[in-house]
Amino acid sequence: ARMRKKRLRRELDRLKKAQQRATKALDDFQNEKKEGRYPIDDDLLMEEEAAKASSSAALITPTTCPAARIPDIDAFQGLPKHCIPDVLMTWDFLCTFSRALSLNPIDLDDFVSALTYTPVAYNGSFDPATHVPPVYVAEAHLALLKLLLQDRSSDEWWWSVLETDETEGVLVDDAVDTVAATVDTIVPLIKIDMAALLDYKEDPLITASWLQSLEEVRGLSSSNRAAVNRAIKTARDVVANKWVKAYLKKALKGDTSSFTKRAALWLADRMREARPDLWEKNVKKEALQKQKQKVIEEVSALMAKMHDAEAFVSVDDIESGESDNESDESDDEDTNGNDIQAPSTPKGASATDDKFAPVVSSIPPKPPPTLVDLLLPPAKPLVGSDIVSPFTWPALAGATASRILHRYKRLRNEVDDSLRAFNELPPMTKEERQKREAELVGRVLSECYIGDENDSPLEAAVTHLNAGGNYLDLDPVQRLCLMRILIDGAYDSGRVHEIVAGNYKARTEAVKQLEMEKRRARKKAKEEEAAAQKAAREKLVKEARTKFLEDKRNEIEETNLETREYTDEFIESLTEDDIIEFDEETKADYEALPGPESFNRSEVTKMVARMQEEAAFNTDSLTVLTMDEILSREKQALQEMEERLRSFGDLNMVMMDRESSKAVNRLRRNIDEAKDAELSLPELRAEAEEALKDAMQDGTIKALRAAIRLARQAELCGDDELTGGMWAHDLLRHAALELKAAEGRKRVVEAQKDLVAKRNKCFIRTEPMGRDRFRNRFWQFNNSESGHVWTEVDYVLRDEGNGDEVMGESKSRYVNLLMTSSTLGMGAAEREEDFVKPNQSPQEISAFLRISRQEFHKSGEVSSLAKRHWGCKTTEPSWRDLIKNLDDRGSNECELKGSLKEALEESRLSAAGEVGKQDASATETEGEKGKGKEADCQRSGDEHVFLAAKHSIDMNGSKIISMQLLEGRQSAVGQKVRIREVIDESKDQEIARYDTGIINGWKLIEVEETVEGQEAKDNEDVNMTKVVSIPVWRAALEGGGEKWLSGFELIDSLCRYIRWDRKDKGYFEDDASFLMYRNGLGRHSGKAAEAAMASTPMMLARLLLKREQELYMPLKNHSYDNNWGGKSGARNAWINTLKDYCFDLRTARDALLTLENALFELTGGIPEAPSDPQPDARNLLNDEVARNDIELESIDKSVNALWNSRESRAIFREIVETSTTTGFLALALDLLYR
């Protein structure tokens, strides 16, 4: 029976363990399924919410999502809202590629201020010292121009007025041209067996003859197809090599004349390289064969990469015996050498009708020359010359922008033609082409192109600068467009491509290292989690055994009370081991207790959470209570103290000893404190609960610590006398756990900080921080202030049906995102007829276009670039509100929420927030005393304190403050202010930041101040201080954020705004940070001390003196009659005038004209006939046809084109006489110098 009983017990134990394992497996599966439910796809989450929502008003829509809340910044002062992305892109490019541009980065606010800078005119005139663009604007344009002009890619689109079909290609420096031509001809365009071509036997004289004919192609323009084809046909008629003949036929059949020219030059260069014996007499046979083999190997390697070559020469081409005249008939040329595509003429239309004439682009290879073009040199300007200088950059920027824009127009035409050819559509007619070309600017730069079809800010800016206009006469949008087009050209440059390619390689390595560090961090986290689970299982086992032993001891004691089998001393002396060995049944039950692996995941997870809670409060036992339970405990404790006090009897009648008296006094004091707490704690606890909730939504360490500190002050935790541990409010428990998690995340971020910085330095492109459920994007720029996050929100069409207008109180909290399809687009619409094929049905076309339009807007109703609403979150409350309202159950918003928390933590650690910089000590004092609430800020009633602030101002020596400006102003609330904040200070000067805002509230704060006067004399303590209440006013800034102003700062800001708004004479913010910018990387404008004046007439006078000295000394010895430097004293008078009086443009212009006349006489002048009429230079310049023939400079160095004719000199002097900028005068001086 005993054996049977033991067997049954073992079987029972086995079944129990099997049940425990099954239960554990089931619980683990259910918990994993529950825990892995979120985050889910945003579309699925929105479907779930739609199914659960009681009404449509409860749903989050695109117009009521967190991104749609009114931002702190939604526009830049002086710029329209639709320009925000262009401003950000331009500024981000200049900061990101600062090393390549040799340009120190600048703050976004300073960039906008520099871009929108307008000098103040006094009495209708400008101060020459201030009527110049800010230094940063000049440095940025010079940096971009140098990058573009130094890059080989600009050779493709830079042209000169002196270029002709015969001279194109020989205008640039010989060395640069040779390198460019060599690189351009290395790439083959037609696949051919080079070994067979070189092995073909041909008379060396014939080979040299056709090679000489091909060399003529090198000097021809690619646009002159007729001339290129004639030269190649001449070579083809001479050649006896069948491989060469077939190759040239393929080249003549090329789609474009550029293809034909490059193919012919490639063959000529390879033949010259492989056959040095044609030009040199003493070439050994072995050396010749070795050179041939080298060329064959190089060409074969290049040919191996041409897998998809459309043009190739095969054996069939050699053996086919095609007639030489076939290619003549197939060449489609017009008399001007332009490519012609003959469109089909509609039925009933005449082929001679202009409407259906063959396509001839109205965009010529180069546009008509402007005044700037007439002054520029024949070749591309050299970066080291005076052509690229602080004087000339506006005019040179206009010339460069016109060339880039012209290139983009032609490229757009090529894209249109390629699309139509790909979709088998007929070529456009002349009328269709001209309609498209009329809107090309809107298709090239759509972002800034909003308005009338013919209203292009970019073209207006280019035309203005090319005509010699002042850069400051451009409006901010035109300036932005000018910089944008230069940056677009820079993006196409080889230098930027090299940087991006190098960064990509370095970034790949940095990302690998970062991923390794992340894997190590995840591995460590898993190990810590496993260790925590192991400790939790051991604690569960320990608790189960402890409880078993306690229950068994109690059972033994109860049994012994009935049986009296053992003495009380024996029972009390029983150890744990004695209890386990008490009998067989107890031992079996103890052995059947669950082991570490017997507990399911739910039990382990709960124990891990409990252990983490205890660790967070640094205690062995933690009791979590609700607010009701806390109040119940405190009430019970108060009742117990009152009961104990009553137990002493009538305290007035009873005589007590000293100890009892102390106990009574202590009880009375504790009771009074408890009653006071009943009155004061509820409000503080309510505030602490709200702070804890907000901090947990915020998730940052600083917010959590501040909230926990406030909760401790509100007595939401304390020592637990019952357990010997601690008790805490449930919200405080959650906040403490969140703080531990945030600190863990911070440790991980700190460990990866260097690797992240290394990765971010390897810039490829700026990526968004994340997206929300509606695919709105959130951005943070590396060079921006860390506390700024930009939101890019899609507008919603009114007729979409998914975005009803926001009504009620919510309307004041959300941006109006509703638009119609007619107002949503910007720029020119896409030419969608190019995307469809002729045989498609209307239904197919409609479906295709709806999908393709989603590239612009998700509705599929807009065929052009769609507007988006941009805004910036700059203040901590707006950040917290955004983070709080994101739903981390969705995959996109969960990831975005984490990124925002990390960014907010970084912004706090770097102390970059402007609000945090305002009177830190006063703010901390308020926060400690609970005074930093909105309710403390009053919105009216400051009349008496404002009056007192005005009376307390000492105006001695102040050029800004004047009480006359404030007459009639009784209150500061509602008044606009111009706040000056010193951000940097040196021995010589201060650098300040100016912000405009409006006063929207005030309050009193307590500060300590040193006691002075008689009161200090009466007191022996020389450092005596007292606490006084002073008023401060809150200013809401236009750029986002707020500042608190003292009485003096308020009066100063009010007077400063009035002077700034009225443009008072003498008021100029010359210490503004954007005006004090100096470029330490490049110094494109010269010395830092002279950078602000680098383009003034005074600096031009220095250049005039320098150039005159360099020109006069060589010329004076070649002239018989020297009326300039002789006894007349003209030269000395001219020099003295420039040194002493050249402070305005008119003096500099007259000095240049005087110098031109002097040099003209020194060089002998132009022989004139008495009957020669005086040329009318103004009419020549105004005539676009005549302007094409104007040449103020000759390619031939032996020809003095400027004084080669009376017309050219008259035109030069007319340009100088009508010049209104130092840039044009500097260009004219450089032309005169050349």
Side-chain angles (χ1 to χ4, degrees):
R2 183 177 296 176
M3 294 296 294
R4 185 170 175 272
K5 185 177 181 180
K6 186 180 291 187
R7 190 166 57 251
L8 290 174
R9 187 179 294 277
R10 284 198 301 269
E11 183 66 19
L12 180 61
D13 292 343
R14 187 182 64 79
L15 292 174
K16 284 182 178 180
K17 290 180 179 179
Q19 183 189 20
Q20 289 175 356
R21 287 194 297 269
T23 303
K24 175 177 175 293
L26 178 61
D27 290 344
D28 289 347
F29 172 75
Q30 291 176 343
N31 287 324
E32 285 179 0
K33 184 177 180 181
K34 183 178 180 181
E35 293 172 1
R37 179 76 178 87
Y38 297 107
I40 60 175
D41 186 81
D42 294 274
D43 294 332
L44 296 177
L45 181 62
M46 287 191 286
E47 291 177 4
E48 286 185 4
E49 292 178 346
K52 294 178 182 178
S54 58
S55 64
S56 60
L59 291 175
I60 298 177
T61 64
T63 57
T64 58
C65 63
R69 290 180 178 264
I70 294 178
D72 301 318
I73 301 175
D74 63 353
F76 291 120
Q77 188 174 6
L79 286 165
K81 290 185 178 182
H82 69 266
C83 290
I84 288 181
D86 296 277
V87 172
L88 293 174
M89 189 280 286
T90 303
W91 167 76
D92 189 47
F93 176 88
L94 295 175
C95 293
T96 301
F97 293 96
S98 59
R99 290 194 174 275
L101 295 169
S102 298
L103 183 71
N104 277 122
I106 192 174
D107 291 339
L108 178 59
D109 293 338
D110 288 342
F111 174 78
V112 175
S113 299
L115 192 67
T116 58
Y117 170 74
T118 302
V120 180
Y122 304 115
N123 299 326
S125 62
F126 292 95
D127 182 0
T130 63
H131 197 243
V132 292
V135 174
Y136 179 80
V137 174
E139 293 281 334
H141 282 87
L142 283 168
L144 289 170
L145 290 171
K146 290 181 179 180
L147 175 69
L148 289 167
L149 296 176
Q150 284 178 328
D151 199 84
R152 280 215 321 263
S153 63
S154 58
D155 295 339
E156 300 177 4
W157 45 263
W158 188 271
W159 47 264
S160 168
V161 294
L162 299 180
E163 291 177 1
T164 62
D165 292 341
E166 289 75 21
T167 61
E168 183 184 16
V170 296
L171 299 176
V172 295
D173 182 80
D174 293 339
V176 176
D177 185 53
T178 302
V179 173
T182 302
V183 173
D184 203 28
T185 55
I186 288 176
V187 181
L189 301 177
I190 301 175
K191 198 168 184 179
I192 191 171
D193 186 351
M194 199 67 185
L197 187 148
L198 292 175
D199 289 341
Y200 195 93
K201 301 299 182 181
E202 186 180 46
D203 190 333
L205 294 176
I206 296 177
T207 305
S209 178
W210 63 260
L211 277 175
Q212 189 64 35
S213 298
L214 288 183
E215 282 300 322
E216 297 177 5
V217 177
R218 199 179 299 275
L220 299 176
S221 170
S222 298
S223 61
N224 193 351
R225 183 161 191 168
V228 172
N229 285 1
R230 280 195 296 270
I232 296 177
K233 288 176 184 177
T234 302
R236 185 199 60 191
D237 294 340
V238 175
V239 71
N241 189 326
K242 293 184 178 181
W243 285 93
V244 175
K245 189 182 289 289
Y247 181 94
L248 294 179
K249 288 180 181 179
K250 293 288 184 181
L252 287 169
K253 292 181 179 180
D255 294 335
T256 63
S257 59
S258 176
F259 175 91
T260 303
K261 177 180 176 180
R262 291 169 59 197
L265 291 179
W266 180 88
L267 178 62
D269 290 340
R270 298 292 76 76
M271 285 296 296
R272 283 182 174 275
E273 186 179 355
R275 295 291 304 275
D277 59 310
L278 298 175
W279 324 109
E280 301 176 16
K281 295 182 179 180
N282 300 322
V283 178
K284 295 182 179 180
K285 187 175 181 181
E286 296 78 6
L288 178 61
Q289 191 62 30
K290 186 176 180 181
Q291 183 65 17
K292 282 185 178 181
Q293 190 61 32
K294 178 184 176 182
V295 173
I296 291 172
E297 291 175 358
E298 291 176 354
V299 173
S300 298
L302 293 173
M303 295 297 176
K305 299 178 182 179
M306 298 176 61
H307 300 298
D308 300 324
E310 295 183 0
F312 61 94
V313 178
S314 62
V315 178
D316 295 337
D317 295 327
I318 306 300
E319 298 175 353
S320 61
E322 288 183 282
S323 172
D324 291 346
N325 295 327
E326 274 189 84
S327 59
D328 297 345
E329 297 172 359
S330 63
D331 293 337
D332 193 10
E333 305 169 356
D334 68 349
T335 56
N336 296 321
N338 295 324
D339 299 342
I340 291 180
Q341 294 172 297
S344 57
T345 303
K347 186 175 181 180
S350 172
T352 59
D353 191 351
D354 180 70
K355 183 176 180 180
F356 302 102
V359 175
V360 177
S361 174
S362 62
I363 300 180
K366 57 184 180 182
T370 62
L371 295 184
V372 173
D373 299 324
L374 297 177
L375 298 176
L376 289 175
K380 186 173 66 174
L382 298 178
V383 170
S385 66
D386 287 337
I387 296 293
V388 188
S389 70
F391 299 107
T392 61
W393 69 260
L396 192 58
T400 305
S402 67
R403 285 157 171 78
I404 296 174
L405 180 61
H406 190 76
R407 172 176 177 256
Y408 284 159
K409 287 181 179 180
R410 295 184 64 82
L411 288 176
R412 174 59 70 178
N413 273 356
E414 293 178 11
V415 170
D416 289 347
D417 293 338
S418 300
L419 280 173
R420 295 183 68 86
F422 178 80
N423 290 306
E424 302 176 356
L425 297 171
M428 286 181 285
T429 63
K430 184 175 181 180
E431 184 184 45
E432 292 172 340
R433 172 74 79 190
Q434 290 174 345
K435 285 182 179 179
R436 291 202 182 190
E437 290 176 348
E439 60 183 26
L440 274 179
V441 180
R443 299 174 70 190
V444 170
L445 200 62
S446 302
E447 293 87 336
C448 294
Y449 190 85
I450 294 183
D452 299 333
E453 291 186 359
N454 297 323
D455 182 19
S456 167
L458 175 59
E459 283 193 320
V462 170
T463 302
H464 176 76
L465 294 178
N466 286 346
N470 195 315
Y471 176 83
L472 292 176
D473 293 339
L474 301 177
D475 62 51
V477 177
Q478 292 174 336
R479 300 177 192 177
L480 178 62
C481 290
L482 179 68
M483 198 173 284
R484 264 293 313 269
I485 198 68
L486 294 177
I487 289 176
D488 283 352
Y491 269 121
D492 292 336
S493 67
R495 174 61 177 151
V496 171
H497 287 183
E498 290 174 6
I499 293 173
V500 172
N503 285 352
Y504 181 81
K505 185 177 180 181
R507 187 183 180 90
T508 303
E509 184 63 28
V511 168
K512 287 181 181 178
Q513 296 178 7
L514 184 59
E515 287 298 324
M516 290 177 61
E517 179 62 27
K518 288 181 178 179
R519 284 197 295 269
R520 191 192 65 78
R522 287 194 294 267
K523 182 180 179 181
K524 184 179 179 181
K526 286 183 179 180
E527 291 174 352
E528 292 176 351
E529 182 181 1
Q533 291 181 356
K534 182 180 179 181
R537 292 180 184 276
E538 292 175 352
K539 189 169 184 177
L540 285 169
V541 170
K542 184 179 179 180
E543 288 184 349
R545 291 178 179 178
T546 302
K547 186 177 184 302
F548 172 80
L549 293 173
E550 289 178 355
D551 292 344
K552 206 63 180 175
R553 183 185 292 275
N554 293 335
E555 181 183 342
I556 292 172
E557 289 177 352
E558 291 174 359
T559 304
N560 189 56
L561 288 174
E562 296 176 359
T563 62
R564 290 295 178 179
E565 183 177 355
Y566 307 104
T567 62
D568 293 340
E569 291 78 7
F570 176 78
I571 296 298
E572 291 177 358
S573 64
L574 288 175
T575 63
E576 292 183 354
D577 293 337
D578 295 337
I579 294 175
I580 294 171
E581 300 292 339
F582 192 78
D583 55 26
E584 289 294 330
E585 185 177 357
T586 302
K587 185 177 181 179
D589 289 342
Y590 182 79
E591 291 176 352
L593 288 175
E597 300 300 326
S598 302
F599 298 95
N600 58 42
R601 177 171 294 187
S602 176
E603 295 171 324
V604 175
T605 302
K606 289 180 181 178
M607 177 54 69
V608 170
R610 202 179 94 190
M611 294 172 64
Q612 290 175 344
E613 293 169 1
E614 294 169 352
F617 286 88
N618 196 23
T619 184
D620 295 331
S621 175
L622 180 69
T623 303
V624 181
L625 303 174
T626 63
M627 183 58 71
D628 293 338
E629 292 172 339
I630 294 173
L631 295 176
S632 177
R633 277 195 175 199
E634 291 176 345
K635 184 177 181 181
Q636 183 179 355
L638 179 60
Q639 291 174 353
E640 289 177 355
M641 288 189 293
E642 290 176 342
E643 185 65 29
R644 287 180 58 192
L645 184 62
R646 285 194 294 268
S647 67
F648 286 97
D650 190 351
L651 300 179
N652 296 323
M653 302 296 294
V654 177
M655 296 296 294
M656 292 181 292
D657 56 14
R658 181 176 296 178
E659 294 297 328
S660 298
S661 178
K662 287 183 178 180
V664 169
N665 291 334
R666 187 164 53 251
L667 276 172
R668 282 177 172 173
R669 188 167 56 252
N670 292 340
I671 290 172
D672 291 340
E673 290 177 355
K675 289 182 177 180
D676 292 340
E678 282 185 343
L679 299 176
S680 61
L681 283 181
E683 183 179 356
L684 187 57
R685 282 176 170 173
E687 183 181 349
E689 286 182 326
E690 289 298 321
L692 289 170
K693 292 177 182 178
D694 291 341
M696 284 188 288
Q697 288 287 345
D698 192 309
T700 57
I701 294 176
K702 183 179 179 181
L704 288 166
R705 284 177 176 171
I708 291 173
R709 191 184 308 116
L710 185 60
R712 291 182 185 276
Q713 293 174 1
E715 298 182 10
L716 292 181
C717 65
D719 296 330
D720 193 351
E721 297 177 356
L722 298 177
T723 62
M726 289 187 66
W727 64 269
H729 191 279
D730 53 355
L731 280 177
L732 181 57
R733 183 266 311 269
H734 292 312
L737 291 176
E738 184 67 24
L739 176 60
K740 284 290 183 182
E743 290 174 343
R745 291 194 298 268
K746 181 184 175 183
R747 286 192 295 270
V748 173
V749 170
E750 287 293 330
Q752 300 173 359
K753 185 177 181 180
D754 293 338
L755 292 175
V756 171
K758 182 179 178 181
R759 180 199 63 186
N760 292 340
K761 285 182 180 178
C762 306
F763 173 83
I764 297 177
R765 59 178 296 173
T766 302
E767 297 287 350
M769 298 177 68
R771 293 173 171 81
D772 64 6
R773 62 174 65 187
F774 299 108
R775 277 62 175 177
N776 299 317
R777 294 189 290 184
F778 295 74
W779 301 83
Q780 189 174 43
F781 298 95
N782 291 334
N783 297 284
S784 177
E785 296 186 29
S786 56
H788 288 190
V789 168
W790 290 87
T791 57
E792 181 187 5
V793 188
D794 287 328
Y795 283 100
V796 179
L797 292 182
R798 291 183 181 273
D799 49 359
E800 276 189 64
N802 60 349
D804 296 333
E805 187 172 358
V806 183
M807 303 298 291
E809 296 180 358
S810 299
K811 189 172 184 179
S812 61
R813 294 188 290 116
Y814 292 97
V815 177
N816 182 15
L817 295 176
L818 298 180
M819 272 197 177
T820 61
S821 56
S822 60
T823 59
L824 181 59
M826 59 180 179
E830 198 64 53
R831 287 293 183 170
E832 297 176 328
E833 59 267 27
D834 293 348
F835 296 99
V836 298
K837 295 183 181 297
N839 55 354
Q840 285 183 296
S841 65
Q843 293 79 9
E844 291 175 334
I845 294 175
S846 177
F848 170 76
L849 292 180
R850 188 170 185 84
I851 293 174
S852 66
R853 288 174 181 174
Q854 291 181 5
E855 175 188 359
F856 303 114
H857 191 264
K858 59 187 178 182
S859 65
E861 298 293 333
V862 183
S863 61
S864 64
L865 197 66
K867 300 175 188 174
R868 288 180 173 84
H869 185 275
W870 282 76
C872 185
K873 310 286 186 182
T874 61
T875 61
E876 185 174 323
S878 61
W879 272 63
R880 292 176 60 186
D881 180 71
L882 175 61
I883 295 173
K884 180 179 179 180
N885 287 282
L886 290 173
D887 192 345
D888 53 9
R889 294 178 301 164
S891 56
N892 281 344
E893 295 194 3
C894 179
E895 183 179 353
L896 173 62
K897 196 169 187 177
S899 300
L900 287 171
K901 285 182 178 180
E902 291 180 8
L904 182 57
E905 188 66 45
E906 290 178 6
S907 70
R908 282 173 168 169
L909 291 175
S910 61
E914 289 297 323
V915 178
K917 295 180 181 179
Q918 303 298 310
D919 199 357
S921 60
T923 305
E924 289 173 2
T925 304
E926 288 180 60
E928 292 173 1
K929 296 182 179 181
K931 294 182 180 180
K933 297 182 292 183
E934 180 69 21
D936 293 333
C937 186
Q938 305 177 43
R939 299 185 181 276
S940 61
D942 69 327
E943 289 81 2
H944 61 290
V945 291
F946 180 59
L947 181 63
K950 289 196 290 185
H951 288 322
S952 65
I953 297 299
D954 182 9
M955 295 182 294
N956 291 335
S958 175
K959 298 180 180 179
I960 302 299
I961 298 177
S962 172
M963 290 305 163
Q964 295 179 354
L965 299 174
L966 302 179
E967 288 184 359
R969 299 175 189 251
Q970 304 298 325
S971 171
V973 178
Q975 302 291 335
K976 289 190 175 183
V977 290
R978 181 79 172 167
I979 303 170
R980 178 181 183 268
E981 179 188 3
V982 177
I983 59 176
D984 195 6
E985 190 173 0
S986 63
K987 184 175 68 174
D988 299 328
Q989 61 187 5
E990 292 179 342
I991 300 178
R993 175 175 294 167
Y994 291 86
D995 293 304
T996 303
I998 186 170
I999 302 297
N1000 61 3
W1002 73 283
K1003 66 180 178 181
L1004 294 174
I1005 63 171
E1006 294 181 349
V1007 297
E1008 290 186 355
E1009 67 176 22
T1010 304
V1011 176
E1012 299 178 354
Q1014 186 63 37
E1015 186 178 356
K1017 294 179 180 179
D1018 296 340
N1019 197 299
E1020 296 180 357
D1021 187 2
V1022 295
N1023 295 323
M1024 181 180 177
T1025 61
K1026 63 178 180 180
V1027 177
V1028 297
S1029 296
I1030 64 170
V1032 291
W1033 283 263
R1034 184 177 65 187
L1037 305 181
E1038 289 184 354
E1042 59 185 30
K1043 289 183 184 293
W1044 289 92
L1045 306 176
S1046 65
F1048 176 81
E1049 293 170 339
L1050 172 69
I1051 301 301
D1052 179 81
S1053 300
L1054 286 170
C1055 296
R1056 193 177 295 277
Y1057 177 81
I1058 295 172
R1059 295 184 184 278
W1060 173 77
D1061 187 51
R1062 296 191 319 194
K1063 298 180 175 57
D1064 282 2
K1065 183 177 181 180
Y1067 179 79
F1068 181 69
E1069 297 169 353
D1070 56 351
D1071 59 349
S1073 55
F1074 76 94
L1075 290 176
M1076 302 300 293
Y1077 171 87
R1078 296 297 180 267
N1079 184 18
L1081 282 178
R1083 294 188 178 180
H1084 304 298
S1085 296
K1087 298 178 181 179
E1090 300 176 351
M1093 308 290 291
S1095 59
T1096 58
M1098 184 174 63
M1099 300 301 290
L1100 181 60
R1102 292 188 189 180
L1103 184 62
L1104 278 166
L1105 290 170
K1106 179 182 177 182
R1107 289 289 177 256
E1108 191 274 342
Q1109 179 70 18
E1110 294 172 353
L1111 291 170
Y1112 175 69
M1113 299 309 292
L1115 287 175
K1116 69 175 184 177
N1117 297 326
H1118 297 280
S1119 176
Y1120 181 76
D1121 296 325
N1122 187 354
N1123 296 324
W1124 173 243
K1127 297 180 181 180
S1128 65
R1131 182 170 183 263
N1132 291 333
W1134 182 83
I1135 292 175
N1136 292 331
T1137 301
L1138 286 179
K1139 287 182 177 180
D1140 300 334
Y1141 304 106
C1142 191
F1143 301 110
D1144 58 2
L1145 184 71
R1146 180 178 179 180
T1147 305
R1149 183 172 57 226
D1150 293 343
L1152 178 59
L1153 290 170
T1154 303
L1155 177 62
E1156 187 273 341
N1157 189 66
L1159 296 177
F1160 176 74
E1161 292 178 356
L1162 284 173
T1163 56
I1166 301 172
E1168 296 186 10
S1171 59
D1172 289 344
Q1174 186 67 23
D1176 190 346
R1178 183 168 299 179
N1179 288 337
L1180 289 173
L1181 287 174
N1182 293 333
D1183 188 349
E1184 287 192 4
V1185 177
R1187 192 185 296 176
N1188 286 311
D1189 298 328
I1190 295 175
E1191 293 185 5
L1192 301 184
E1193 188 171 1
S1194 175
I1195 300 174
D1196 189 351
K1197 301 292 185 182
S1198 62
V1199 179
N1200 298 322
L1202 180 57
W1203 296 322
N1204 195 39
S1205 67
R1206 299 171 66 240
E1207 289 80 6
S1208 60
R1209 186 187 181 214
I1211 289 171
F1212 175 83
R1213 293 185 65 87
E1214 174 66 21
I1215 293 176
V1216 174
E1217 288 171 358
T1218 57
S1219 294
T1220 58
T1221 61
T1222 56
F1224 253 48
L1225 295 181
L1227 286 175
L1229 175 61
D1230 194 78
L1231 172 61
L1232 189 63
Y1233 184 74
R1234 294 197 303 271

